[in-house]
């Protein structure tokens, strides 16, 4: 099960980094569009606001996956709880988030996995 725990950690880190990259692209893309000369002034303000709010939201949502994934790789008990919460939230992101969530829940609720985290506390 240790390999599954590592896989869950790596998957959550990878998807979170991907989310941050998408946030940067959204930020750049919307701000480039907002600065085009033929864009209406009101549309420019809306695009700039959306271009700031959406990426920051995505970054804030992605950070727990990175922190929790690193914690799982180090077999920290708090990371198991954090990733379980994130996995349940990921279930609504069909289809990839659902698959990641189900796999994470299956791995982290397994009795053998619980023993890994109890063993690492000692």
């Amino acid at each position: 099960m240790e390999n599954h725990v590592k896989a869950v950690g790596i998957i959550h880190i990878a998807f979170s980094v991907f989310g941050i990259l998408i946030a940067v692209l959204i930020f750049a893309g919307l701000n480039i569009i907002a600065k085009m000369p033929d864009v209406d002034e009101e549309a420019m303000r809306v695009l700039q606001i959306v271009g700031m709010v959406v990426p920051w939201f995505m970054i804030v949502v992605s950070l727990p996956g990175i922190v929790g994934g690193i914690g799982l790789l180090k077999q920290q008990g708090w990371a198991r709880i954090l990733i379980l919460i994130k996995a349940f939230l990921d279930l609504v992101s069909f289809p990839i988030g659902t698959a990641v969530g189900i796999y994470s829940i299956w791995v982290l609720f397994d009795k053998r996995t619980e023993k890994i985290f109890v063993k690492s506390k000692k």
Side-chain angles (χ1 to χ4, degrees):
M1 276 318 263
E2 284 188 41
N3 289 336
H4 286 290
V5 172
K6 287 180 184 176
V8 168
I10 291 168
I11 289 168
H12 280 275
I13 292 169
F15 276 101
S16 296
V17 168
F18 182 71
I20 291 173
L21 289 174
I22 295 297
V24 169
L25 290 174
I26 289 171
F27 174 79
L30 290 180
N31 280 304
I32 288 170
I33 292 170
K35 291 185 169 113
M36 290 183 159
D38 59 339
V39 174
D40 169 90
E41 194 170 318
E42 185 177 346
M44 178 176 48
R45 281 192 299 256
V46 170
L47 285 172
Q48 287 176 332
I49 291 170
V50 170
M52 291 295 291
V53 172
V54 170
W56 278 111
F57 176 78
M58 290 177 70
I59 290 169
V60 168
V61 169
S62 295
L63 287 177
I66 294 172
V67 172
I70 292 169
L72 279 183
L73 294 176
K74 295 181 178 181
Q75 296 181 343
Q76 300 292 315
W78 56 265
R80 180 175 167 262
I81 303 300
L82 178 62
I83 294 297
L84 275 170
I85 292 168
K86 187 168 179 333
F88 277 104
L89 295 173
D90 284 345
L91 291 174
V92 297
S93 298
F94 187 79
I96 296 172
T98 303
V100 169
I102 290 169
Y103 177 63
S104 299
I105 291 166
W106 173 74
V107 169
L108 297 176
F109 270 137
D110 191 277
K111 295 291 181 197
R112 296 169 290 181
T113 302
E114 289 178 21
K115 291 176 184 175
I116 292 169
F117 288 98
V118 170
K119 181 177 68 177
S120 68
K121 283 185 180 179
K122 294 179 182 179

